[in-house]
Amino acid sequence: MNNRLCSPRTRKLKSIRPAAPVQLPALALFVACLALPGLSWASWASDAPDWLRAQISAPLPAHDQKTDAVMVYSESVLTVQADGRLKRLDRRAYRILRPEGRAHGLVRVYVDSQTRVTGLHGWCIPADGKVFEVKAKDAVESAVLGVDDGYLMSDVQTQSLQIPATEPGNLIGYEIEQELHPYAVGDEWDVQETVPVRETHYTLQLPSGWSYKAVWINSPEVAAVASGNSRWNWVVTNLEPVKIEEDMPPWRGIAARMVVSLIAPGGQELGFRSWHDLGAWYLHLASDRRNVDTEIKQKVAALTVGIPGMLGKMRALAAFVQNDIRYVGIELGIGGHQPHPAAEVLAHGYGDCKDKVTLLSAMFKELGIESYYVAINTTRGSVTTTTPPNLDFNHMIIAVAVPAAASDPALIATIAHPKLGSLLFFDPTDSLTPFGALRGGLQANFGLLISPDDGELVKLPQLSSDSNGIHRVAKMTLDADGTLHGEIQEIWSGDPAARQRFALRATTQDIDRIKPAEKVAAEALSSFHFEKAAIRNLHDAQRPFEWNYSLVADHYAKLSGGLLLLRPRILGSKSSALLEGEEPRRQPVEFDGPQRDSDEFDIALPAGFSVDELPPPIHADYGFALYQSESKVVNQVLRYTRSFEIKQLSVPTDKLDELKSLYRLIYGDERRMAVLKPAGS
Amino acid sequence: MGRHLRTPGMALLTLGCAWVVTACAEDWLPIAPDELKLAAEPAAPGASAIYLYSQVDRNDNDPSERNYERIKILTEDGRKYADIEIPYLKGTESVGDIRARTIRPDGTILNFDGKVFDKTIVKARGVKYFAKTFAIPDVQVGSIIEYRYRHDLASGYVFNSHWILSQELYTRKAKFTLRAYGQYALTWSWPLGLPEGTKAPEEHNGTIELETANVPAFVEEDDMPPANELKYRVDFIYSDESPGKDVNAFWKRFGKQSYRRVNDFIDERRTLGQAVTQIVAAGDPPLVKLQKLYARSQQIRNVSYEHDKTEQETKREDLRAVRTSADVWNRGYGDGLQVTWLFLGLARAAGFQADPVLVSARDQYFFNARVMNSAQLNTNVVRVKLDDKDLFLDPGAAYTPFGMLPWSETAVKGLRLDKDGGDWLAMPLPAAGDSRVERHASLQLSADGELQGKLTVTYSGLEAAWRRANERDDDDTERRQFLEDQVKYAVPIGSNVKLTNTPDWSSSAPTLVAEYDLRVPGFAESAGRRLLMSVGLFGNAEKHMFERAARVHPLYFEFPYQHDDDIAIELPAGWQVSSTPSKQAKEGDVLAFSSAVDQSGSTLHLRRSLTVNIMLVQVKYYDAVRGFFQTLRASDEQQIVLTQDKEAEKH
């Protein structure tokens, strides 16, 4: 893998998959181009190649009725040339089984400065045997579209080829030939797919005197068969698909694949032999980028003047890069990995993630503080200790050596490094997470720490669940007619606060600011209105975000047969329908991060009513999560308290029934009613 | 504006003209002190940025546009407007003379001297859709950014165009000019009117000009009419002859021409006469005859409803062009328009008084005859006189039941064609009761609160039609999932829904019937010795309607509808009803609901009816509509209280 750092859309250079949706507004034009009259010429004498024809009567791998297509054959051939350049041939054949399988007929191949497509063909063999054929000249080129997320320019492009007649029952196939000159020489074979695979082949052709090393991930090793002349073949048959499910680990983190390292004559391993190698390569790439010039010195001085203490100065610099340097991605050639000089980033007032890290690192240097690049994949599980060293990173953050003078309990995203001391991890691209903390997706994730002496894979800290959560306190009064009214305060911290800030900062009119609170209320209350509402600390990420509002909910308690039925849980839902699907779940469930939510709801009961029944208390500790709730009445006030803590970031498949039970338990608790009866009855 | 592609609506070959420089700014305009100081726009509270000034100068003689934008950044999020992307079609168009600068809050100026990138957006044979992109530097909250450029359009052509006054951002001031191409007739209109205080466009020496100010930002909302209907805009339409100023004369002329074309298409008496004899029996009553002709027309292969094909597939299939109704009949295929005109021919051949009607579907825009844009009459209907009643039929709209029109063709004006040009007719809007979702359930409640049993859902009228059209390309597995999801959306989460029958997906029968096994765990909640059960089993469908208190745009419903629920629940042995909520009802001509619970022995009957008999609701009535749905939700949450028999309690 060879992802670019800081790219909002990760790419797979060697991946050949049905297209993901393209961004609007050019989508319509893109689709129109695929079917544009005159764009694709009929080849009336077309014929399919033998490798595809051989699949016409091939048996299908095991599949269920929801399977939209099966891969009946795939073949990848990597030919290494003596100068280290690579040629790659990919062939795929699918049998389309359902209308949804038509998507497999859109072939997409990625191209950039290191990759050239030298051949592109697609075929369809329908039931009547009259072959359709399309070629490279029929393909549509497109780039990453839009600038809304600040991704301004990249040389990554795609070539998309629509295979005709991709109808259920038809056999389709395609062939892609590429010449590659990657920064890190090596290869990966994605053995497993999201559809069942009947037969998949990988062939490695090396120059004389070369050798290889193969590492299998998420799969037992499959032995290669040597066919002479430095040629090796691997074959795997009848593979189950990786089922894509909501909140699952990253696809590549669980799919079977083989990573191939190449060893030149003399035993020199190409590519990155170790994380150390990769770190050294990057350090060289960024060697002079953190130089401090006069403008940076002046800016640091201006930003820190009058601020007492080292920590305050560090926070001021971090906030400047977080908030005042706008995110703009311009990634051409090596610019996908190499940052712009810090001075340039400051002068432009914009940059991408590695640019922001570069500038902040330079500014810290001016304060006398050491800091380091940390390359990371924002999807936890994509890179682990079992992953061979590669460039499968898509983001850059910073690790700061915290000086003793700046030590503070608020700096929670830290680890004690054996050589570098206390290291604080910080993401200056994330303007919503304060200096000292780390958002959930980066926690307990592995990043490549690039220090002058080493490149090493380190595990980032997992923060306490207390640092993330929503705490709601309600002081309400219930009238005898069922109307509920009172004040609610919500204190949001960590990731939930970041999400709330993100939603609110994106609003373009004041009347939309109440929208998130309205949504929560509407989820729980059939009829309500806000009497007043206020937000605190929207722009101050160092402090918890707060909602304070007063609310009136008509018909909240229901009168029935003289009884007043009242739900102690006023609003906010912790339950989930994630595991309520009819098909058995196959993948573990991944949480964004640790979290602890709590509610304290006081409801003053109307005079003339007494409590007849209260919901039972709940204490459910499943190890990975803890849920507790209790209703009690003191002095005619019904007090409902509850807490929900996510303690572990992942729930394995053998615990999913427990997670489902927990969600159902919470769902029941959230709906349960207290019964009030007329006093004295 | 630089961030949006202007789509040409029409292209006519021109003879080449000289470029005349119009009122475009060659230099930056002066910055007013109040623009520098501005921290928030009182007329656009909460805005992330606003247009301080915007100018578009278009010249259709040497087709080109000069654009000038000045934007004030008010929040961090607003800085994204400093990332500029100007799309254009490479090869036929070009973008040049790009200048940009940042005016910092202290008034100092930083000119843009960075790189302008030429980015491929889509490139295929014959199409090169590129964009000039660049990032304006050092942009902070409080900065003013401005940029200008020249966009040269395809030479040799003249395009219809628009001035879009309602932008993504609030606009303090904007100026538009269009130097018209003189060899073709040009009409311009502003169908939604103009922003308050804006004078109508004026023509001076061949240049149309407009200045506007204080134009609100356009915001998107759920359930709103088509965006085109809500944005202030001026449309420019070229034609090869002047439409004149007399609206009636324009449509009469168009009506006559269209009538001739339709008549030419259906003038196949022998073929159609023979077809009629195959379709109907001589003794069939007129209504039955008409229904048979309609049903047979719908059996014609309607290529408008087939998914897109590649060029190769189309060529290989080699469908010959359809030129007459006889072609449609003999070859067995046609597009939706052709199928409807075939039906017209068949109806006439069967002796019916039938007229062609051209209508404008209301899914993209609302038709305005005064605009004199005949292209907006984009679909067709047949008016048949039967027993002095008008029937409006469109068999070319697949899956539409006899007697109904697809929703987009209802409640619109249609031009009935005749040799004299015709007249305007109003297409009917079906009543709510014509498009229903009826849910009948027979369920058993267990002592642990689970509901289980049979559910039958009958979709009728347009409720059936849109579902059939929506699922036309899907297989049984997907259709099953679709129908099950429709029920799951309405019932509590965690419910188990299994389709048990094989619905009729292929016809345009008035109803689509789906039968299910339904299981709702925990529907009744235990409260000590009681069980509590809400009356709104299917209430989730309306749970999130109109959550928001604020509303900017009118509400838009595609068609009136009615939901009727009839649920029988057999109580578990040993349990009895302690109390049921009183009957709930809210009567009204446009919105109504009723909800009632009856008991018969050990069976509870829950009946609920919701009628939504509206299409367009002005903003001033939004609170009333929201209040209605809040009352409905409160009604759905009313509780039935069950208690155990004394004897059962002992056990």
Side-chain angles (χ1 to χ4, degrees):
Chain A
M1 286 306 301
N2 204 3
N3 282 340
R4 293 185 165 217
L5 296 169
C6 224
S7 160
R9 303 172 185 86
T10 58
R11 65 188 178 132
K12 295 186 69 189
L13 285 178
K14 291 167 288 191
S15 164
I16 307 144
R17 284 182 198 296
V22 192
Q23 277 206 330
L24 290 171
L27 175 62
L29 181 63
F30 176 80
V31 172
C33 283
L34 288 170
L36 204 62
L39 283 183
S40 87
W41 313 131
S43 297
W44 298 109
S46 299
D47 198 3
D50 290 344
W51 66 267
L52 184 58
R53 283 210 167 273
Q55 307 307 321
I56 290 175
S57 51
L60 302 184
H63 61 277
D64 62 24
Q65 63 170 7
K66 290 195 171 178
T67 303
D68 54 22
V70 291
M71 181 187 277
V72 288
Y73 180 81
S74 96
E75 179 184 2
S76 297
V77 180
L78 185 77
T79 304
V80 182
Q81 297 173 296
D83 60 0
R85 289 176 181 263
L86 309 176
K87 285 188 175 179
R88 189 182 167 93
L89 168 71
D90 288 289
R91 290 172 173 156
R92 303 285 184 272
Y94 292 91
R95 177 72 69 182
I96 308 298
L97 302 179
R98 299 186 51 220
E100 284 68 25
R102 288 180 186 128
H104 292 273
L106 183 57
V107 184
R108 177 172 292 178
V109 57
Y110 292 84
V111 183
D112 66 3
S113 59
Q114 311 145 57
T115 313
R116 195 163 73 89
V117 175
T118 55
L120 182 59
H121 284 81
W123 300 270
C124 173
I125 307 180
D128 64 7
K130 293 180 184 171
V131 175
F132 290 96
E133 180 181 6
V134 280
K135 299 176 182 174
K137 66 184 179 185
D138 303 314
V140 175
E141 277 180 39
S142 59
V144 175
L145 307 175
V147 293
D148 283 350
D149 52 10
Y151 205 60
L152 193 78
M153 187 64 193
S154 164
D155 55 11
V156 179
Q157 297 197 348
T158 61
Q159 288 190 18
S160 302
L161 187 66
Q162 177 63 60
I163 300 174
T166 48
E167 296 296 325
N170 290 353
L171 178 71
I172 64 164
Y174 56 83
E175 184 175 277
I176 301 169
E177 292 170 273
Q178 292 168 285
E179 284 182 0
L180 309 157
H181 191 49
Y183 300 122
V185 178
D187 198 22
E188 282 188 31
W189 176 30
D190 290 333
V191 181
Q192 212 168 3
E193 295 284 333
T194 55
V195 295
V197 176
R198 191 180 70 82
E199 184 181 327
T200 179
H201 297 250
Y202 182 82
T203 299
L204 180 62
Q205 175 70 62
L206 297 178
S208 177
W210 287 56
S211 59
Y212 72 91
K213 190 169 73 180
V215 176
W216 284 79
I217 297 173
N218 302 317
S219 167
E221 183 173 343
V222 175
V225 175
S227 56
N229 292 329
S230 298
R231 193 176 178 90
W232 289 268
N233 302 297
W234 288 259
V235 182
V236 180
T237 57
N238 294 315
L239 278 162
E240 283 192 358
V242 175
K243 190 180 176 195
I244 302 300
E245 294 174 316
E246 202 177 337
D247 294 338
M248 65 180 272
W251 185 85
R252 289 176 55 77
I254 55 176
R257 56 190 167 121
M258 183 180 81
V259 179
V260 179
S261 304
L262 302 173
I263 300 164
Q268 184 202 351
E269 186 173 332
L270 301 179
F272 302 116
R273 287 167 297 176
S274 65
W275 294 114
H276 176 87
D277 272 7
L278 183 45
W281 175 77
Y282 197 80
L283 208 58
H284 175 70
L285 209 58
S287 58
D288 57 351
R289 303 285 152 153
R290 289 180 284 179
N291 291 348
V292 179
D293 69 356
T294 309
E295 280 70 26
I296 292 176
K297 283 177 191 284
Q298 288 173 349
K299 193 69 187 178
V300 169
L303 289 168
T304 57
V305 65
I307 297 177
M310 185 57 83
L311 180 57
K313 294 182 199 302
M314 291 169 73
R315 280 187 169 137
L317 300 185
F320 168 74
V321 178
Q322 251 186 322
N323 301 314
D324 291 1
I325 300 297
R326 135 174 152 255
Y327 182 89
V328 174
I330 299 171
E331 299 185 340
L332 299 168
I334 193 65
H337 299 284
Q338 187 177 43
H340 292 92
E344 198 175 298
V345 179
L346 179 64
H348 286 163
Y350 61 70
D352 64 13
C353 62
K354 52 192 181 293
D355 296 335
K356 283 185 165 226
V357 168
T358 301
L359 176 58
L360 184 57
S361 186
M363 294 178 120
F364 279 154
K365 191 197 287 186
E366 176 62 12
L367 278 188
I369 297 169
E370 282 299 321
S371 58
Y372 314 100
Y373 290 103
V374 179
I376 197 165
N377 190 308
T378 50
T379 306
R380 188 193 307 120
S382 298
V383 175
T384 67
T385 50
T386 61
T387 313
N390 65 20
L391 284 171
D392 201 2
F393 300 112
N394 62 0
H395 193 44
M396 187 71 81
I397 63 172
I398 192 169
V400 189
V402 183
S407 179
D408 189 286
L411 305 182
I412 51 178
T414 56
I415 62 166
H417 190 276
K419 289 184 191 166
L420 304 173
S422 177
L423 284 185
L424 172 74
F425 294 90
F426 174 63
D427 183 358
T429 306
D430 174 1
S431 63
L432 303 166
T433 303
F435 185 72
L438 206 56
R439 70 172 180 275
L442 301 180
Q443 292 177 35
N445 197 342
F446 285 91
L448 178 66
L449 176 67
I450 303 163
S451 65
D453 301 328
D454 205 358
E456 63 175 313
L457 203 61
V458 295
K459 189 173 186 180
L460 275 62
Q462 178 177 334
L463 307 189
S464 156
S465 55
D466 291 336
S467 61
N468 283 319
I470 307 163
H471 178 59
R472 286 196 176 92
V473 177
K475 303 286 182 193
M476 310 297 286
T477 300
L478 181 69
D479 295 340
D481 66 355
T483 303
L484 184 75
H485 52 91
E487 309 285 331
I488 297 178
Q489 181 190 39
E490 301 182 357
I491 299 172
W492 297 57
S493 55
D495 287 354
R499 284 192 287 270
Q500 197 80 171
R501 286 188 172 104
F502 180 79
L504 286 163
R505 288 187 190 184
T507 58
T508 56
Q509 46 181 3
D510 273 353
I511 57 170
D512 285 342
R513 288 201 165 181
I514 193 68
K515 215 169 170 178
E518 274 182 332
K519 196 163 181 59
V520 171
E523 195 65 46
L525 308 170
S526 59
S527 174
F528 69 94
H529 66 271
F530 290 104
E531 293 200 312
K532 60 180 182 188
I535 293 167
R536 290 183 65 186
N537 303 329
L538 172 60
H539 296 286
D540 185 358
Q542 293 288 345
R543 297 171 185 277
F545 173 85
E546 276 187 42
W547 275 107
N548 291 281
Y549 50 88
S550 61
L551 174 146
V552 177
D554 301 319
H555 314 294
Y556 182 72
K558 314 295 177 192
L559 280 164
S560 188
L563 304 173
L564 201 51
L565 309 173
L566 164 70
R567 193 184 64 216
R569 192 272 310 182
I570 299 169
L571 45 71
S573 176
K574 315 297 176 199
S575 185
S576 167
L578 177 69
L579 300 174
E580 294 296 340
E582 281 157 25
E583 291 176 39
R585 170 101 183 184
R586 297 206 192 149
Q587 315 295 356
V589 169
E590 291 284 313
F591 295 117
D592 287 342
Q595 185 162 340
R596 187 176 188 282
D597 294 346
S598 57
D599 293 335
E600 293 173 27
F601 298 156
D602 286 349
I603 303 175
L605 303 178
F609 282 91
S610 64
V611 172
D612 190 45
E613 299 277 4
L614 282 178
I618 293 174
H619 177 93
D621 191 347
Y622 285 88
F624 52 81
L626 169 67
Y627 184 80
Q628 302 178 90
S629 82
E630 184 183 25
S631 298
K632 61 184 178 186
V633 175
V634 179
N635 296 331
Q636 197 64 4
V637 173
L638 193 163
R639 164 162 270 236
Y640 174 78
T641 55
R642 71 164 171 170
S643 66
F644 179 42
E645 182 180 5
I646 294 169
K647 298 193 281 188
Q648 294 175 7
L649 300 184
S650 182
V651 181
T653 49
D654 62 349
K655 298 272 187 190
L656 291 181
D657 281 346
E658 291 181 20
L659 180 60
K660 187 173 179 177
S661 298
L662 174 61
Y663 280 143
R664 286 190 172 181
L665 188 81
I666 299 171
Y667 180 63
D669 184 56
E670 291 180 340
R671 296 173 66 213
R672 208 154 282 142
M673 299 274 193
V675 180
L676 310 184
K677 64 181 180 181
S681 64
Chain B
M1 310 293 166
R3 302 173 70 86
H4 304 286
L5 174 69
R6 287 173 162 67
T7 308
M10 166 186 169
L12 301 169
L13 194 62
T14 65
L15 302 174
C17 301
W19 160 249
V20 179
V21 176
T22 57
C24 60
E26 289 299 330
D27 296 305
W28 299 114
L29 297 172
I31 306 278
D34 72 307
E35 292 180 336
L36 272 179
K37 285 184 203 156
L38 186 72
E41 169 58 55
S48 58
I50 61 167
Y51 282 114
L52 292 171
Y53 184 71
S54 171
Q55 183 170 338
V56 180
D57 298 303
R58 186 183 176 100
N59 185 338
D60 281 344
N61 293 282
D62 180 12
S64 62
E65 266 188 9
R66 284 184 180 271
N67 290 257
Y68 184 122
E69 315 289 4
R70 173 175 290 175
I71 298 171
K72 177 77 180 185
I73 308 300
L74 298 172
T75 70
E76 283 179 17
D77 195 56
R79 294 183 305 177
K80 66 187 179 190
Y81 294 102
D83 302 333
I84 312 299
E85 187 173 69
I86 307 165
Y88 71 102
L89 289 166
K90 197 166 190 170
T92 57
E93 300 179 1
S94 64
V95 172
D97 295 344
I98 296 173
R99 301 282 184 277
R101 63 179 191 163
T102 305
I103 298 103
R104 300 189 184 98
D106 64 3
T108 56
I109 291 172
L110 178 62
N111 286 315
F112 169 72
D113 60 358
K115 187 168 172 57
V116 176
F117 299 100
D118 206 17
K119 179 167 156 182
T120 308
I121 295 181
V122 175
K123 189 165 117 183
R125 192 193 296 264
V127 177
K128 290 180 181 174
Y129 185 49
F130 276 58
K132 298 284 186 187
T133 64
F134 57 99
I136 300 177
D138 198 19
V139 177
Q140 305 298 341
V141 174
S143 299
I144 292 171
I145 57 170
E146 55 186 346
Y147 60 97
R148 59 179 202 251
Y149 60 93
R150 175 182 163 131
H151 187 169
D152 288 319
L153 305 166
S155 61
Y157 292 86
V158 61
F159 296 94
N160 292 340
S161 60
H162 316 274
W163 292 337
I164 305 295
L165 279 55
S166 300
Q167 292 288 347
E168 183 182 345
L169 299 177
Y170 175 87
T171 304
R172 267 197 170 183
K173 190 175 177 190
K175 186 177 176 187
F176 299 86
T177 66
L178 172 72
R179 185 160 183 80
Y181 179 66
Q183 304 298 311
Y184 291 101
L186 177 67
T187 56
W188 58 94
S189 60
W190 45 100
L192 250 74
L194 294 167
E196 195 177 336
T198 300
K199 287 183 187 168
E202 291 179 356
E203 183 178 3
H204 301 290
N205 301 322
T207 299
I208 301 111
E209 298 176 359
L210 176 135
E211 286 193 28
T212 188
N214 304 323
V215 187
F218 183 76
V219 292
E220 298 271 350
E221 287 185 307
D222 293 337
D223 305 307
M224 68 178 202
N228 286 338
E229 282 309 308
L230 300 171
K231 288 183 179 176
Y232 291 118
R233 68 183 198 276
V234 179
D235 296 331
F236 294 92
I237 298 165
Y238 281 101
S239 54
D240 49 8
E241 60 175 306
S242 172
K245 299 214 181 285
D246 186 335
V247 173
N248 288 332
F250 171 83
W251 288 112
K252 285 285 179 196
R253 197 164 60 243
F254 172 75
K256 283 180 194 173
Q257 292 166 354
S258 299
Y259 183 74
R260 277 197 297 274
R261 281 197 291 270
V262 174
N263 253 6
D264 288 347
F265 187 84
I266 64 171
D267 189 17
E268 300 286 344
R269 289 179 197 174
R270 214 178 96 190
T271 302
L272 298 186
Q274 287 172 347
V276 167
T277 60
Q278 294 169 27
I279 299 167
V280 303
D284 285 340
L287 180 61
V288 173
K289 278 186 184 169
L290 203 57
Q291 286 171 331
K292 285 184 174 178
L293 296 176
Y294 183 88
R296 183 63 185 85
S297 299
Q298 286 200 318
Q299 287 167 7
I300 299 285
R301 177 183 164 191
N302 190 331
V303 297
S304 297
Y305 286 77
E306 296 178 355
H307 67 82
D308 292 342
K309 292 189 169 120
T310 63
E311 179 73 1
Q312 283 195 39
E313 288 171 272
T314 305
K315 278 189 176 177
R316 185 171 293 188
E317 190 174 31
D318 194 24
L319 288 181
R320 284 184 289 162
V322 166
R323 302 190 193 287
T324 67
S325 55
D327 290 345
V328 180
W329 178 255
N330 291 328
R331 297 177 195 163
Y333 60 82
D335 64 25
L337 297 171
Q338 291 162 342
V339 168
T340 298
W341 289 152
L342 168 70
F343 171 73
L344 170 67
L346 291 171
R348 283 189 176 175
F352 289 97
Q353 183 189 334
D355 299 306
V357 183
L358 295 178
V359 301
S360 174
R362 60 178 164 91
D363 51 351
Q364 298 294 319
Y365 45 78
F366 296 159
F367 178 69
N368 183 344
R370 283 180 297 136
V371 173
M372 294 188 281
N373 182 359
S374 58
Q376 288 191 338
L377 292 176
N378 57 358
T379 185
N380 61 349
V381 163
V382 176
R383 194 274 301 266
V384 182
K385 280 275 184 195
L386 190 67
D387 300 332
D388 289 332
K389 286 184 184 163
D390 284 345
L391 277 176
F392 293 94
L393 302 165
D394 183 3
Y399 310 106
T400 305
F402 180 85
M404 303 193 87
L405 293 174
W407 73 263
S408 61
E409 296 174 11
T410 62
V412 295
K413 281 174 82 173
L415 181 62
R416 186 188 67 85
L417 307 176
D418 66 18
K419 61 182 172 48
D420 300 320
D423 50 13
W424 293 103
L425 303 175
M427 299 300 105
L429 181 68
D434 293 337
S435 301
R436 292 164 29 133
V437 178
E438 294 174 85
R439 293 174 284 229
H440 290 267
S442 178
L443 307 166
Q444 288 81 46
L445 179 69
S446 65
D448 65 359
E450 178 173 295
L451 271 183
Q452 189 165 7
K454 300 283 183 190
L455 167 69
T456 301
V457 183
T458 304
Y459 301 102
S460 62
L462 297 180
E463 292 282 12
W466 79 256
R467 285 177 172 83
R468 285 188 169 113
N470 192 65
E471 293 298 293
R472 67 185 186 277
D473 282 339
D474 287 327
D475 62 1
D476 287 346
T477 304
E478 191 62 28
R479 288 169 171 173
R480 165 186 292 272
Q481 188 70 51
F482 171 78
L483 284 178
E484 289 177 353
D485 287 347
Q486 293 274 296
V487 174
K488 282 181 185 171
Y489 176 65
V491 296
I493 62 168
S495 299
N496 192 287
V497 182
K498 284 272 176 211
L499 185 74
T500 57
N501 72 332
T502 307
D504 167 17
W505 287 102
S506 58
S507 80
S508 54
T511 60
L512 174 70
V513 180
E515 296 169 0
Y516 306 87
D517 285 337
L518 174 66
R519 190 167 65 82
V520 188
F523 183 67
E525 278 291 337
S526 164
R529 60 188 184 279
R530 301 180 179 90
L531 272 180
L532 307 177
M533 184 170 66
S534 66
V535 302
L537 174 60
F538 299 107
N540 270 7
E542 283 84 27
K543 188 168 180 177
H544 294 288
M545 290 183 77
F546 314 122
E547 289 174 349
R548 302 227 46 211
R551 185 78 194 179
V552 175
H553 298 306
L555 288 174
Y556 187 48
F557 295 84
E558 290 180 347
F559 57 87
Y561 62 88
Q562 189 170 316
H563 291 177
D564 292 310
D565 300 336
D566 185 352
I567 304 162
I569 298 176
E570 184 72 22
L571 300 182
W575 288 81
Q576 63 186 11
V577 175
S578 170
S579 66
T580 57
S582 56
K583 183 177 177 185
Q584 306 282 310
K586 206 161 173 77
E587 301 296 335
D589 292 336
V590 293
L591 292 169
F593 85 87
S594 64
S595 172
V597 181
D598 299 311
Q599 187 184 359
S600 163
S602 62
T603 303
L604 277 172
H605 283 276
L606 280 56
R607 294 186 179 83
R608 176 186 186 265
S609 179
L610 166 68
T611 301
V612 176
N613 202 13
I614 43 179
M615 195 182 83
L616 196 64
V617 182
Q618 295 305 320
V619 175
K620 63 184 176 184
Y621 299 119
Y622 176 71
D623 285 347
V625 173
R626 183 169 182 256
F628 171 86
F629 279 96
Q630 289 198 335
T631 307
L632 172 69
R633 288 195 284 269
S635 169
D636 285 341
E637 288 182 357
Q638 293 290 318
Q639 298 287 313
I640 299 164
V641 181
L642 308 177
T643 52
Q644 269 188 300
D645 296 339
K646 293 270 185 238
E647 281 305 306
E649 211 169 348
K650 285 179 195 167
H651 295 94

